[in-house]
Amino acid sequence: MNAIISASELASALAGPNPPVLLDVRWQLSVAKAAGEPPFDGRAAYASGHLPGAVFVDLDRELAAAPGVRGRHPLPDVEEFGAAMRRAGVSATRPVVTYDGGHGWAAARAWWLLRWAGHPDVRVLDGGLAAWDGPLQTEVPRPAEGDFSPAPGALPLLDADGAAALARSGLLLDARAGERYRGEVEPIDRVGGHIPGAVSAPTTDNVGQDGRLLPAAELQARFKALGAADGAQVGVYCGSGVSAAHEVLALAVAGIPAALYAGSWSEWSSDPSRPVAVGPDPQ
């Protein structure tokens, strides 16, 4: 099953006999704002217009636990996540499509969590809301309770020690912007730089100017050039396990299985005992 779905394919699926549950996961990274500028409000964006039947999912509250020693967006409590998905109408026998405002990071986080938790049929709307040319609605749907019961472990997951080991034995990709990888800037976390041995692979390079993922063959070529040779174990991290989920999605489209280090740099850098590398060299 492909991990993404086009807008035209989604329109056909919604008109079919078993239409997918739609999850609207609009979200933006919270960084320091100019004085007086309000933070992004995904729920307000959803209220102003969303795909017909879509249910809003709050990334910070439903797709992550509270920030702490495990990072800014640690994995949510499994039972709480399952309850949130059931409230959104998610059931084991019904497909799910996630989307966000366009960059795909938040939608990919929802995709990864559902797949990791055992849902067999989840896809991301390629290009997000911007790719949809059908009608929008402002009415908030009230879906029937779903029956999805999480069974974690269907996708590989790394902890800090596992990420450190993979950086030596396989390929650990850093999905953040190159300047954060090199330690030139760090707007959020305690210190800049990267996990020693990790390779810089900004997730923004996985999409074209239209906001859609590059074709599978181009993604395959990109990741192989970065070191994803046949049989190599691959893992991905970012700042807090959100944009890295998008890179795992791109790898899946390329046919390359990859593990997610959910704690990512926000967990790694919070521990002074963990080594930090700076500059363009992985080591």
Side-chain angles (χ1 to χ4, degrees), residues 34 49 52-53 56 66 71 95 110 114 127 130 138 156-157 169-170 176 183 197 204 211 216 229 240 247 270:
F56 179 73
L114 280 164
T138 56
L157 176 67
S169 65
R176 298 172 301 159
T204 51
S240 64
E247 187 125 295
S270 68

Side-chain angles (χ1 to χ4, degrees), residues 28-278:
Q28 289 182 11
L29 181 65
S30 295
V31 296
K33 300 288 185 179
E37 182 183 352
F40 177 78
D41 187 339
R43 193 176 294 277
Y46 167 83
S48 69
H50 50 267
L51 269 63
V55 176
F56 179 73
V57 173
D58 190 317
L59 186 148
D60 290 318
R61 294 176 174 82
E62 296 174 310
L63 304 183
V69 295
R70 293 187 297 128
R72 279 193 310 281
H73 291 105
L75 296 186
D77 175 84
V78 170
E79 292 305 317
E80 292 179 5
F81 171 67
M85 292 300 97
R86 291 190 292 274
R87 287 195 300 270
V90 175
S91 293
T93 58
R94 189 174 171 190
V96 178
V97 172
T98 71
Y99 73 91
D100 57 28
H103 54 55
W105 296 1
R109 170 75 174 210
W111 165 83
W112 186 90
L113 275 169
L114 280 164
R115 291 289 295 113
W116 169 77
H119 197 291
D121 190 350
V122 191
R123 288 182 283 178
V124 172
L125 175 58
D126 195 19
L129 185 65
W132 178 257
D133 58 4
L136 299 177
Q137 73 175 39
T138 56
E139 178 185 356
V140 176
R142 302 195 179 280
E145 183 89 358
D147 64 9
F148 176 64
S149 180
L155 293 183
L157 176 67
L158 295 171
D159 60 11
D161 290 339
L166 186 59
R168 296 188 298 268
S169 65
L171 177 66
L172 181 65
L173 298 175
D174 185 317
R176 298 172 301 159
E179 58 268 26
R180 291 184 70 190
Y181 170 87
R182 295 187 296 270
E184 297 165 358
V185 299
E186 182 43 65
I188 308 171
D189 292 313
R190 184 184 67 84
V191 64
H194 58 270
I195 297 174
V199 174
S200 180
T203 198
T204 51
D205 291 350
N206 294 323
V207 300
Q209 292 185 345
D210 59 1
R212 294 174 173 85
L213 281 170
L214 297 174
E218 293 184 31
L219 291 171
Q220 288 171 356
R222 181 193 184 213
F223 291 124
K224 285 188 176 181
L226 290 168
D230 292 343
Q233 287 189 303
V234 180
V236 189
Y237 75 95
C238 58
S240 64
V242 178
S243 65
H246 189 262
E247 187 125 295
V248 173
L249 174 76
L251 283 154
V253 171
I256 302 170
L260 176 71
Y261 172 25
S264 285
W265 189 248
S266 59
E267 178 187 43
W268 182 279
S269 64
S270 68
D271 182 352
S273 71
R274 296 280 180 189
V276 171
V278 296

